[in-house]
Amino acid sequence: GVVTDMDGVPLPGVSIVEVGTVNGTQTDFDGSYSIEVAVGSELRFSYLGMKTETRTVQSSNVLNIKMQEDLNQLSEVIVTALGIEKSKKALGYSAQEIDGDAFSEARETNIASSLAGKVAGVQVSNIATGAGGSSRVVIRGNSSISGNDAPLYVVDGIPIDNQNIDPADYAAGGVDYGDGISGINPDDVESMTVLKGPNAAALYGARAANGVILITTKTGGSKKKGIGVTFNSNLTSETIATMPTYQNRFGIGYDPSFGASGTTIIDGKEYEVLDPNQWQSWGPELNGQIVADWEDPTKTFAMVPQPSDNIRNFFQSGFTATNTVSFSSGDEKANMRLSLSNLGNEGIIPGSTYDRQTINFRGFANVTDRFSIDAKVNYIHHKGVNRPGLAASSSNVMSVLIQMPRHIDLDRLKDYKDENGDPFNFTTAFENPYWTINELQNEDERDRVIGFVSMNYKFNDWLNVRARTGTDFYTDERFSRRAIGSRSARTGRVSNYTWHVKENNSDILFTAEDDLSENWSGSLSVGASRLYSKTEVTGALGQSLRVPELYHITNAEQITPRYDKVEREMQSVYAAGQLAYKNYLFLDLTARNDWSSVLGINNYSFFYPSVSTSFVFTDALKLNSNVFSFGKLRAGYAEVGNDSNPYLTTLGYVSNTQTVNGQGQAAIQTQIPNPNLKNELTRSYEFGTDMRFFKNRVGIDFTYYNSSTKNQILPVNISSGTGFNRMVINAGEIQNEGVELLFNVTPIQLKNSFQWDLTLNYAKNKSKVVSLADGIETHIMSQDRWGTIEARPGEDFGNIVGFYYKRNENGEKLLDEYGRYQRDGNNVKILGNIQPDWIAGITNRFSYKGFTLSTLIDIKMGGELLSGTKYIQAARGTGRFTTKGLRQNEDGVWVGVADGVMENDYYVDDGNGNQVLHLAAGERSDIELDRVNLYGMWTRADIIEEFVLDASYISLREINLGYSFSEKLLAKTPFTSARISLVGRNLLYLQEHMDGIGVTPEAAFSSESGSQGSESYTLPSTRSVGVNLNVAF
Amino acid sequence: EEQLDVGLLLTRVQQEMIINGSNPIGTLANYAGYASSGGNRPFDGGFFSDEFAKGYRNLLNISEIIRLTDGDAEMQGQNAIARVMRVYIFHRLTDLYGDIPYSEAVKASSEVITQPMYDTQESIYGSMLDELKELSSVLSETQQGSFGDSDMMYQSDNEKWMRFANSLRLRIALRVRYVDEALAREHISELVNMDLIESNEENAFVPSSDDFDSNQNPVYNRLISNSGILPEHMGQTIVDLLNDQDDPRLTILVTPTPNSVMVADSVGDSNLLEYRGRPLGLEGLERDAYPTSDLSQIGLYYREPVIEMPVLYYSEVCFALAEAKLMLDLGSLEADVWYERGVRADMERYGIDEAEIASFLSSNSLDVVADEEAKLEMIMNQKNIALFPNELEAWSEWRRTGYPKILIGSMVGETDGQIPRRINYPVSEANVNSVNYQEVSTRIGGDLMTTKVWWDANPNVPYEHPGEILVPEP
């Protein structure tokens, strides 16, 4: 037979399958096909963009089919703001939807992290903070620099709490206890939609200024007779992917001698005793020198390097198992779905575990023809044990491991305490890492409920009302303890904090929708909402334990209570209208007014509108053809207001919880408030086009946007000479401009069902600081001894600024009178920028019969980071890079020559007491320097330039090889479907430029926006490989 | 609006600026001859970023007390005491950095100047001296209002605060002696006839407290945080000063070396105990000549959690008056009388008995040397010991006079092997206050640790490297 469209145009590549078998074929270029089947069997014809047809084979040998365009598919429906479903065709802005399977097979424990590389314009960073940690998602660059640039997460139409309470910070460290989105079980997710720009998000109001991620969870569906059961099991193992690299030749010492604190006599011979206070590794080459043993000075010890993987062996393989079972049932009248899941994780740090259990129930019922109810309850329980300490936190094992001298056998440190319970270590300068993981412990447990009830009433054919209320509340109990003798708490410490977090959202929405005339149709929605959120913490920190190992607050001599409460409320009204002409020209208008409790008393009400339009020119101009299937132009303009953190409007005193000599203490808060605080306002416009060719086998979606956020609310650093350290400004402008491209193609589609799909997304964003307030030169987002990251007017957002090499006009490094590197005084300059030039993702998907193979390559190009790991390794002499270019001089000392020219003439003694010119100013140095004077100068002179590294990467983010058992095979089993997949995530970097220091280029990003671009003591990053099994019956 | 109890602010300021104000084993103590810190490179800089912010943060709180009490007839006592504290903190800051924000600094939040200019040290000194002069008479008149016990230094005793204000003015006036003798003379000539701190009972200090770690003696905390082992050792300068003169304070301030303790214990002879400090800035083989088992550490007296955290002692007043008499011929008593009173006051502070004091003074009298400079050196050497553990003041006096002589190894660092003359402004100032920062950097001759502050004008310092560090045979 021949398959054509309704106009009689032949359709090549239509897939034809005998139902219930693997017998199938495809139409050829003329649309004709042939297949051998028995009379009475059923043939299914399917083709992208066309309605699938099933026909029973009659006695005739010819079966010609006219396929109908599937309007639902071409103008796919997408969930937009406030849960309003719209056809994609009508959308005047960019939104991208991802199917839930993309998150559940090759999964991340935090579902938001699995967006990496999948959506154009969405930058996701993999943060190595352990399972259950936070995600970092930035859509279209940083618009607000004040602290929160995360998108709003909306689950089934109701925003959820996504704060990271007591977050870890790259500088101060801490523990990443996870954000709000980390509680969502990927198996419950039907799809995720990313609303990128302000246009898309305008209706969600203030918190949506950074974009919105809509998550739709699974329902019971309407076609299931009886109860369907699905079981999904996912088992993965996590192994170290990147790990700092170490020099493996040189021993302890401040200079090329083992720093000795003295000598001792062992068996009549004198041996050096190593100074237990030193910890640097600039010493001599380790070649078996005999010294007094560092543990037992009555014995000798041979100074030899450890095996090069000794630090790696400190860690173990991680393991994650997730099992989910779900039950669903439904028909047109009602449906329900219940899922239960359990996740268990063992981290790469021994003793670190994370468990998560979720129960999710969703039910829907058409109570009458006019009245329906939709409701959900999601209970989430998670428990973390010994989540790793991060960055400069004293509980971060990496802070010690990256500076471990090379003669130390970690196995000898495993017995980390002596018989008195005191820590055992080779040095007093830092903690034994085994003490850290055993005696610095934390435990956290969260019980959370997310739920909503939504009621819909249809007054008539064109008017309905929906009322909803949703809540998200949880209790998070956090316990931590440090044994007596810990370096960070010598007298011991215990703390218990209980967090109570609640977010309630209620809204009501009236929607009228109808055809206005033959050519015109329209809809109008009017609604109001209220948001209330509260975060409260109570608890106490106890220090100085009376009885060792009794970790109860009453056992502490010094008790510091903690109580904080943050409340906010926002009330809003809004309206959205759409006008459509002949189903090819659409106009959308929205307007919203918010009243926010956190703004100044005279400025707390703010209004903002948006307008967008979509023009399907292929329909309007009748351009549709086999080559040009679909074409649309869109344009939009939007304003979105944004408020801020609470309590920025009044000055107060901070009462100190600790007394001194029995006296109470108080101080003025260190931030100058802004009593007239008003909202930030983002103005944005975007243009885009969506075009599809060759019967939808090729699709291009392109967007250009430009947005500018004014009246930035941010606490900027001011001179300490004011006595304050920050001032809340409400001025300034950040501009983001960029393009996004989404390209889909099916290059190969064969009759034998082999198909290759390629999806490519690309985004380029430029974020620029147009202005800050008068008298404010810069906003320092992070500052450490290895430089600052700033927002400075007129410059790109996120410049890395710091000291640099002193150079001559030719760019050669100028060396000092000893032939050493020097920095250019106290001058600083821009050494890099944390923003990538562009990001992209490439997904290849191959399918053949039941097999699918998909790969995701995630690319980030451009952008730099500041590496604190390299800084510390340079300061201590443990990094592999501190052995480059060395040779042994006549005294046996390993030396190198700095790469530069002499700043001044250099004289040497000729042996007769005469100073003779050896090198004239400007000549290349040949002065031999030992390691500490060669590489140690980087940190001694704070030449920050050395620690700014290129953060570009090409990552093989995901591989997924799956097989779905055919219906025929399953016919004799109780299963209705079964699929098994081998999955791998974060497998390897195909390209990175981190100077071989062994830190992931994604390290410099934390979930806190103030902490971007700088890493320190980063934990090894991991790759996960495993298997996913999914069966339904 | 609720009125804040201003005493809460004062307590906080005293906690931060006095209890956490000095550290006899910190980096500055290296520059004072007191200490020799382990792996630190004392000439490399970058140790002090917090001093600036900490000083101004506390000045803001002190200024808040002044604003809240200004014009309130019942709170003039608090107002005057806060003004004295304000001068005390500004003085610390300018002695650390030189030119600093002063007239435009620490305004109320509604009038804040986000980029305050840097006043010259000369103008700040003039202003501080005038302010203290005025406060002396304000405090000597009866003033309504008291901080009570919130004032951990003097329990709001106005007379003691008046004596402290005068003594602080003496400290400040003496500091300018080499750069502006007329100014020094003008103020000191008044002060010799005024009420100064006249006994150890009037000493200005705040006791640390053991209720919370942050209130404890920093040396004690260092010990606790480092498993009872101090990485820092005593400086050669002070140990030699004490050792060479058989000073009874030696065993209080300094522990014997571990090796000598072992030897002395084994034969039961305490005469074999040795005291040895380490010079500053050792490099390479020089360091090997000073193994830690042959080095002394800070004495047990200063390892207790609760000690007196120093502000200004009677002994310092005595040594100041001795110098004023010797070099400016001001005051009625002779220099040697003040010298002896100063030594006696400091020894009495440690509870040393009269016989030992008399014996020490008889063999270490000021009369043993004839020329003025040698007398000054003796006064300054004793002042250095008496100032212990006030390392900032001791370093300032070393910068001013060059005494005591401090030995330096061959470490080069950022200062070309010299003891720093000031500390760098925090890097943040170059970022957030760049115009003023550039202006002041140029004005003072570069934001370097080797740039001398205004009063650091004695042409005879620093002394050349004496080269007395012995490198033993390998």
Side-chain angles (χ1 to χ4, degrees):
Chain A
V2 177
V3 183
T4 64
D5 67 10
M6 296 308 280
D7 300 330
V9 179
L11 292 174
V14 176
S15 154
I16 300 144
V17 178
E18 183 184 355
V19 174
T21 72
V22 289
N23 184 20
T25 183
Q26 276 190 327
T27 55
D28 62 17
F29 194 74
D30 304 322
S32 53
Y33 73 98
S34 70
I35 187 169
E36 226 167 276
V37 290
V39 172
S41 57
E42 283 186 319
L43 285 183
R44 185 161 60 217
F45 298 80
S46 56
Y47 189 71
L48 189 68
M50 298 286 172
K51 277 185 177 161
T52 299
E53 302 271 347
T54 306
R55 295 286 171 82
T56 306
V57 177
Q58 310 293 339
S59 53
S60 163
N61 270 340
V62 178
L63 180 57
N64 293 334
I65 298 287
K66 277 192 175 184
M67 292 188 83
Q68 227 178 353
E69 215 176 290
D70 185 351
L71 287 173
N72 272 337
Q73 208 175 335
L74 252 193
S75 48
E76 298 125 299
V77 168
I78 190 162
V79 179
T80 66
L82 302 175
I84 299 169
E85 290 193 346
K86 276 187 183 161
S87 82
K88 261 196 160 175
K89 200 173 174 178
L91 230 47
Y93 47 79
S94 173
Q96 197 175 331
E97 189 177 47
I98 302 139
D99 192 58
D101 293 344
F103 309 116
S104 59
E105 288 190 1
R107 67 176 64 203
E108 295 272 350
T109 50
N110 188 326
I111 190 168
S113 299
S114 45
L115 282 169
K118 289 183 176 134
V119 184
V122 175
Q123 193 189 342
V124 182
S125 306
N126 270 289
I127 318 163
T129 63
S134 312
S135 59
R136 162 128 184 119
V137 177
V138 175
I139 302 175
R140 285 187 180 172
N142 308 68
S143 63
S144 170
I145 44 186
S146 63
N148 191 6
D149 55 9
L152 174 69
Y153 289 92
V154 176
V155 180
D156 298 322
I158 311 284
I160 64 162
D161 173 87
N162 189 45
Q163 63 178 319
N164 190 345
I165 44 185
D166 267 5
D169 177 270
Y170 91 93
V175 169
D176 183 2
Y177 289 100
D179 48 14
I181 190 66
S182 64
I184 302 295
N185 175 18
D187 295 307
D188 290 334
V189 174
E190 178 74 36
S191 68
M192 272 167 105
T193 304
V194 180
L195 303 179
K196 293 176 199 166
N199 268 93
L203 268 189
Y204 274 115
R207 292 191 298 173
N210 305 308
V212 180
I213 294 181
L214 299 177
I215 296 176
T216 307
T217 64
K218 288 174 179 161
T219 65
S222 56
K223 288 170 210 149
K224 196 84 204 170
K225 292 176 213 119
I227 287 187
V229 181
T230 306
F231 175 70
N232 194 91
S233 180
N234 188 287
L235 308 170
T236 57
S237 152
E238 287 89 37
T239 51
I240 289 178
T242 59
M243 175 84 201
T245 52
Y246 296 84
Q247 59 94 347
N248 209 29
R249 285 168 60 190
F250 297 98
I252 199 163
Y254 296 118
D255 45 47
S257 67
F258 297 132
S261 62
T263 59
T264 187
I265 309 287
I266 304 169
D267 292 339
K269 272 186 78 180
E270 189 173 15
Y271 295 96
E272 279 189 313
V273 178
L274 300 185
D275 180 355
N277 289 315
Q278 72 163 345
W279 63 96
Q280 304 192 13
S281 291
W282 303 111
E285 193 175 25
L286 295 166
N287 51 22
Q289 299 96 323
I290 308 294
V291 298
D293 188 81
W294 48 269
E295 185 181 353
D296 177 1
T298 66
K299 293 179 183 155
T300 57
F301 178 81
M303 296 291 279
V304 291
Q306 293 302 303
S308 56
D309 58 354
N310 74 318
I311 306 287
R312 180 181 288 256
N313 291 341
F314 178 84
F315 299 93
Q316 62 183 24
S317 287
F319 182 73
T320 309
T322 317
N323 292 300
T324 303
V325 58
S326 69
F327 307 89
S328 58
S329 173
D331 56 25
E332 272 86 47
K333 289 224 105 170
N335 66 61
M336 58 72 77
R337 178 178 181 275
L338 172 70
S339 79
L340 308 159
S341 87
N342 179 53
L343 177 153
N345 165 273
E346 261 182 53
I348 58 166
I349 295 177
S352 175
T353 62
Y354 175 74
D355 294 285
R356 181 175 73 202
Q357 290 82 36
T358 66
I359 302 173
N360 195 42
F361 178 82
R362 178 100 186 252
F364 171 82
N366 280 315
V367 180
T368 71
D369 288 349
R370 290 169 179 271
F371 182 58
S372 65
I373 297 177
D374 189 3
K376 183 185 82 169
V377 182
N378 185 8
Y379 168 73
I380 301 155
H381 170 262
H382 79 202
K383 179 169 182 172
V385 176
N386 294 341
R387 294 185 193 240
L390 304 172
S393 167
S394 50
S395 57
N396 182 357
V397 287
M398 280 318 282
S399 67
V400 169
L401 292 175
I402 61 168
Q403 37 184 321
M404 195 56 97
R406 299 305 300 158
H407 69 283
I408 296 298
D409 177 359
L410 283 180
D411 282 346
R412 282 185 67 182
L413 299 181
K414 273 187 176 164
D415 265 340
Y416 60 87
K417 57 179 171 185
D418 62 20
E419 58 278 10
N420 303 321
D422 292 328
F424 163 71
N425 203 0
F426 71 98
T427 176
T428 59
F430 48 74
E431 197 91 280
N432 179 332
Y434 290 100
W435 176 279
T436 304
I437 59 173
N438 287 295
E439 297 294 341
L440 276 59
Q441 303 229 323
N442 65 66
E443 244 180 71
D444 62 284
E445 193 163 6
R446 181 182 290 192
D447 288 284
R448 180 178 186 183
V449 173
I450 304 174
F452 74 84
V453 177
S454 171
M455 290 172 290
N456 201 73
Y457 184 77
K458 277 184 175 172
F459 293 100
N460 51 42
D461 284 350
W462 56 270
L463 179 66
N464 76 79
V465 60
R466 185 189 64 200
R468 291 192 296 202
T469 185
T471 188
D472 175 1
F473 61 90
Y474 56 88
T475 301
D476 198 337
E477 288 174 347
R478 296 180 180 178
F479 165 77
S480 82
R481 64 174 175 85
R482 290 183 183 194
I484 293 174
S486 303
R487 285 183 56 79
S488 52
R490 288 288 176 194
T491 53
R493 186 197 289 179
V494 58
S495 72
N496 292 85
Y497 297 118
T498 303
W499 294 82
H500 295 279
V501 176
K502 182 192 272 186
E503 170 160 341
N504 292 338
N505 286 281
S506 302
D507 69 85
I508 184 162
L509 186 73
F510 289 87
T511 301
E513 189 171 19
D514 207 354
D515 290 340
L516 303 174
S517 70
E518 193 186 332
N519 291 332
W520 290 90
S521 64
S523 70
L524 176 67
S525 301
V526 178
S529 70
R530 173 180 180 269
L531 152 72
Y532 167 78
S533 78
K534 182 174 85 169
T535 301
E536 202 174 13
V537 57
T538 58
L541 166 71
Q543 289 164 289
S544 287
L545 301 180
R546 293 187 185 94
V547 179
E549 294 179 33
L550 177 57
Y551 299 105
H552 191 278
I553 195 77
T554 57
N555 185 35
E557 281 175 23
Q558 302 172 7
I559 297 173
T560 308
R562 176 174 182 183
Y563 177 79
D564 284 315
K565 181 171 163 183
V566 176
E567 273 183 300
R568 63 190 300 162
E569 180 170 346
M570 190 185 294
Q571 297 171 359
S572 314
V573 296
Y574 37 81
Q578 184 174 74
L579 209 53
Y581 177 71
K582 280 192 166 173
N583 205 29
Y584 61 69
L585 182 63
F586 305 89
L587 177 71
D588 264 49
L589 295 163
T590 72
R592 177 167 169 137
N593 199 91
D594 289 335
W595 289 266
S596 166
S597 70
V598 306
L599 298 175
I601 190 73
N602 300 315
N603 293 321
Y604 69 102
S605 163
F606 51 106
F607 171 83
Y608 42 96
S610 85
V611 55
S612 68
T613 178
S614 165
F615 176 51
V616 184
F617 60 89
T618 42
D619 285 4
L621 307 172
K622 303 251 183 281
L623 294 174
N624 308 49
S625 72
N626 268 347
V627 176
F628 198 178
S629 324
F630 178 79
K632 170 179 118 172
L633 292 172
R634 54 177 195 260
Y637 169 81
E639 295 182 1
V640 182
N642 191 5
D643 60 3
S644 69
N645 297 324
Y647 313 123
L648 297 180
T649 57
T650 49
L651 185 73
Y653 298 95
V654 178
S655 175
N656 200 308
T657 50
Q658 301 185 344
T659 56
V660 49
N661 283 314
Q663 301 299 315
Q665 309 180 71
I668 304 177
Q669 72 178 49
T670 53
Q671 177 167 298
I672 302 177
N674 189 329
N676 299 312
L677 203 66
K678 64 182 176 204
N679 61 291
E680 295 182 355
L681 190 66
T682 302
R683 287 196 176 87
S684 153
Y685 54 87
E686 70 172 79
F687 303 101
T689 177
D690 180 1
M691 288 185 286
R692 301 182 206 178
F693 303 92
F694 305 109
K695 290 286 172 186
N696 298 327
R697 272 178 70 167
V698 176
I700 296 170
D701 189 322
F702 173 82
T703 308
Y704 164 84
Y705 62 87
N706 187 321
S707 80
S708 127
T709 306
K710 288 190 174 155
N711 306 328
Q712 292 278 337
I713 299 172
L714 79 157
V716 290
N717 295 74
I718 54 176
S719 166
S720 312
T722 60
F724 296 94
N725 59 17
R726 281 193 290 269
M727 178 164 91
V728 177
I729 64 159
N730 199 184
E733 182 181 355
I734 306 279
Q735 199 177 60
N736 278 278
E737 187 181 16
V739 293
E740 289 157 6
L741 179 70
L742 183 64
F743 177 73
N744 299 297
V745 61
T746 304
I748 299 176
Q749 193 177 40
L750 300 178
K751 284 182 184 174
N752 63 6
S753 93
F754 179 82
Q755 185 165 327
W756 171 26
D757 299 295
L758 170 68
T759 308
L760 186 149
N761 68 68
Y762 167 92
K764 186 176 172 61
N765 180 75
K766 196 90 192 155
S767 198
K768 200 176 162 172
V769 183
V770 178
S771 64
L772 292 175
D774 285 346
I776 301 298
E777 291 184 47
T778 181
H779 174 56
I780 296 171
M781 294 182 285
S782 80
Q783 176 161 25
D784 214 318
R785 61 201 143 139
W786 43 83
T788 57
I789 295 172
E790 306 186 5
R792 198 180 271 268
E795 294 175 2
D796 290 343
F797 176 87
N799 277 335
I800 301 172
V801 178
F803 299 126
Y804 52 95
Y805 282 111
K806 193 170 199 178
R807 293 169 195 270
N808 63 16
E809 58 279 5
N810 302 325
E812 293 166 309
K813 292 164 191 159
L814 286 173
L815 307 178
D816 70 7
E817 57 192 298
Y818 307 97
R820 304 178 306 188
Y821 295 121
Q822 45 186 345
R823 75 164 198 241
D824 192 1
N826 278 346
N827 300 318
V828 295
K829 70 174 182 185
I830 298 167
L831 302 171
N833 185 281
I834 67 171
Q835 294 181 68
D837 296 336
W838 54 269
I839 54 177
I842 302 168
T843 304
N844 277 291
R845 189 171 184 281
F846 304 91
S847 55
Y848 175 68
K849 303 247 161 93
F851 288 98
T852 55
L853 170 67
S854 73
T855 62
L856 169 62
I857 290 172
D858 179 21
I859 304 171
K860 189 180 113 180
M861 278 297 141
E864 281 84 27
L865 65 80
L866 261 173
S867 175
T869 300
K870 188 178 180 191
Y871 185 99
I872 296 297
Q873 286 205 319
R876 305 288 182 256
T878 53
R880 194 168 67 193
F881 55 86
T882 63
T883 58
K884 278 185 202 157
L886 299 181
R887 63 168 183 272
Q888 214 165 7
N889 69 8
E890 56 270 29
D891 300 329
V893 177
W894 288 87
V895 293
V897 174
D899 169 28
V901 300
M902 300 305 292
E903 185 176 15
N904 298 306
D905 292 347
Y906 177 70
Y907 293 87
V908 290
D909 193 307
D910 68 352
N912 302 319
N914 304 317
Q915 294 292 307
V916 295
L917 184 68
H918 177 66
L919 294 170
E923 282 194 90
R924 286 201 73 76
S925 169
D926 62 1
I927 304 172
E928 292 178 340
L929 299 170
D930 56 25
R931 286 171 62 239
V932 67
N933 280 301
L934 186 60
Y935 294 107
M937 281 313 285
W938 287 349
T939 54
R940 270 159 59 191
D942 269 332
I943 302 168
I944 303 308
E945 188 179 338
E946 274 296 335
F947 309 107
V948 178
L949 304 179
D950 182 349
S952 303
Y953 63 79
I954 300 176
S955 163
L956 179 55
R957 185 65 71 199
E958 194 174 299
I959 292 186
N960 184 346
L961 173 65
Y963 177 70
S964 298
F965 293 88
S966 70
E967 290 174 21
K968 196 175 170 184
L969 266 175
L970 294 171
K972 291 172 189 132
T973 71
F975 302 116
T976 52
S977 75
R979 179 172 168 80
I980 185 160
S981 319
L982 297 172
V983 295
R985 286 272 311 164
N986 308 323
L987 292 163
L988 57 106
Y989 291 109
L990 302 171
Q991 199 188 95
E992 51 105 342
H993 308 269
M994 290 290 286
D995 220 10
I997 63 163
V999 169
T1000 158
E1002 297 169 85
F1005 295 87
S1006 88
S1007 61
E1008 286 299 287
S1009 70
S1011 308
Q1012 302 312 306
S1014 186
E1015 67 84 20
S1016 61
Y1017 320 121
T1018 301
L1019 289 169
S1021 68
T1022 56
R1023 68 173 61 93
S1024 71
V1025 174
V1027 59
N1028 191 80
L1029 174 72
N1030 186 294
V1031 292
F1033 46 91
Chain B
E1 290 208 356
E2 287 174 56
Q3 174 75 42
L4 181 85
D5 174 357
V6 292
L8 295 171
L9 297 176
L10 181 76
T11 306
R12 181 91 202 115
V13 170
Q14 291 184 342
Q15 198 277 347
E16 282 207 45
M17 295 309 299
I18 301 174
I19 292 182
N20 284 317
S22 70
N23 181 356
I25 57 173
T27 307
L28 278 186
N30 282 255
Y31 310 156
Y34 288 169
S36 160
S37 34
N40 279 351
R41 307 186 60 86
F43 304 156
D44 275 4
F47 300 112
F48 307 104
S49 63
D50 188 47
E51 291 299 319
F52 195 85
K54 177 178 157 187
Y56 283 104
R57 181 167 73 233
N58 283 286
L59 281 166
L60 178 71
N61 284 295
I62 277 294
S63 302
E64 183 78 354
I65 300 176
I66 297 168
R67 280 190 282 270
L68 290 170
T69 54
D70 246 354
D72 184 338
E74 291 180 2
M75 300 188 85
Q76 286 316 290
Q78 289 103 316
N79 187 275
I81 288 169
R83 286 175 62 192
V84 178
M85 275 302 292
R86 194 178 134 97
V87 173
Y88 173 73
I89 301 170
F90 265 125
H91 181 233
R92 281 180 64 95
L93 279 179
T94 184
D95 276 7
L96 282 167
Y97 295 97
D99 294 3
I100 52 168
Y102 183 77
S103 53
E104 293 186 351
V106 292
K107 300 283 184 193
S109 71
S110 53
E111 296 155 13
V112 69
I113 297 173
T114 54
Q115 296 176 318
M117 67 149 186
Y118 285 67
D119 295 82
T120 62
Q121 187 175 57
E122 182 176 7
S123 69
I124 296 167
Y125 260 70
S127 167
M128 290 190 301
L129 288 167
D130 292 345
E131 174 99 353
L132 289 172
K133 183 175 176 177
E134 183 196 332
L135 284 167
S136 176
S137 54
V138 172
L139 281 160
S140 49
E141 293 154 20
T142 313
Q143 295 296 341
Q144 292 277 312
S146 162
F147 282 117
D149 289 342
S150 293
D151 169 18
M152 297 185 289
M153 193 159 100
Y154 283 140
Q155 288 69 48
S156 226
D157 181 328
N158 284 351
E159 193 204 315
K160 283 185 177 162
W161 274 99
M162 179 267 288
R163 289 177 180 275
F164 170 63
N166 292 340
S167 305
L168 181 61
R169 190 173 147 212
L170 177 63
R171 175 190 277 181
I172 294 172
L174 192 61
R175 192 85 92 233
V176 306
R177 185 168 74 77
Y178 286 98
V179 68
D180 187 348
E181 189 179 310
L183 183 66
R185 192 174 282 281
E186 174 198 332
H187 284 274
I188 297 172
S189 62
E190 287 178 31
L191 287 162
V192 292
N193 297 315
M194 291 173 73
D195 292 325
L196 299 166
I197 292 175
E198 283 177 1
S199 71
N200 278 341
E201 282 66 51
E202 289 163 2
N203 278 351
F205 65 87
V206 172
S208 61
S209 99
D210 60 0
D211 40 8
F212 285 93
D213 292 350
S214 54
N215 301 330
Q216 289 170 166
N217 172 12
V219 177
Y220 176 78
N221 280 342
R222 178 74 170 149
L223 267 169
I224 294 297
S225 71
N226 215 47
S227 327
I229 300 169
L230 280 183
E232 291 83 6
H233 294 83
M234 287 298 278
Q236 184 186 38
T237 310
I238 191 164
V239 175
D240 284 358
L241 283 179
L242 293 165
N243 218 357
D244 294 350
Q245 301 182 320
D246 280 333
D247 194 309
R249 287 168 293 189
L250 175 69
T251 54
I252 296 170
L253 268 56
V254 185
T255 61
T257 66
N259 273 346
S260 72
V261 170
M262 248 177 4
V263 173
D265 283 358
S266 63
V267 295
D269 180 0
S270 64
N271 289 321
L272 295 174
L273 293 177
E274 286 178 2
Y275 298 85
R276 189 170 185 238
R278 182 164 61 181
L280 199 54
L282 299 184
E283 192 82 271
L285 291 173
E286 293 171 351
R287 205 194 317 266
D288 294 348
Y290 292 87
T292 51
S293 49
D294 283 333
L295 290 178
S296 295
Q297 295 192 304
I298 191 166
L300 303 183
Y301 184 93
Y302 283 106
R303 298 183 183 208
E304 295 297 316
V306 177
I307 62 164
E308 293 177 1
M309 299 305 298
V311 175
L312 203 164
Y313 289 147
Y314 171 53
S315 54
E316 182 188 338
V317 172
C318 298
F319 292 118
L321 292 173
E323 183 182 343
K325 183 67 184 175
L326 180 72
M327 308 304 286
L328 302 173
D329 195 24
L330 293 173
S332 49
L333 292 176
E334 287 308 314
D336 59 340
V337 176
W338 284 119
Y339 167 85
E340 289 195 9
R341 285 186 185 180
V343 172
R344 181 177 299 277
D346 192 53
M347 291 194 177
E348 284 173 350
R349 178 160 71 91
Y350 292 110
I352 291 167
D353 64 45
E354 176 55 33
E356 279 192 281
I357 298 173
S359 153
F360 176 83
L361 284 173
S362 66
S363 51
N364 293 289
S365 136
L366 200 57
D367 299 332
V368 298
V369 288
D371 87 89
E372 267 188 1
E373 193 64 25
K375 281 191 193 329
L376 179 66
E377 181 173 358
M378 276 191 76
I379 294 169
M380 296 313 299
N381 288 349
Q382 283 302 319
K383 190 174 188 178
N384 180 268
I385 298 168
L387 282 170
F388 196 88
N390 189 345
E391 83 286 8
L392 169 59
E393 193 54 27
W395 173 48
S396 293
E397 287 293 89
W398 174 83
R399 286 182 286 166
R400 181 176 71 87
T401 64
Y403 300 119
K405 290 174 184 166
I406 296 176
L407 298 187
I408 310 168
S410 58
M411 184 177 287
V412 175
E414 285 185 18
T415 61
D416 206 21
Q418 295 302 315
I419 295 176
R421 316 300 302 201
R422 62 184 285 280
I423 65 176
N424 298 122
Y425 297 121
V427 176
S428 59
E429 279 296 284
N431 269 317
V432 298
N433 195 8
S434 67
V435 173
N436 290 312
Y437 170 78
Q438 293 303 342
E439 192 269 327
V440 73
S441 297
T442 311
R443 187 204 307 161
I444 66 173
D447 178 16
L448 306 170
M449 293 200 295
T450 46
T451 303
K452 291 184 173 187
V453 300
W454 166 72
W455 52 250
D456 185 355
N458 183 347
N460 297 325
V461 287
Y463 289 91
E464 287 300 305
H465 186 307
E468 291 173 23
I469 293 168
L470 299 175
V471 178
E473 299 292 309

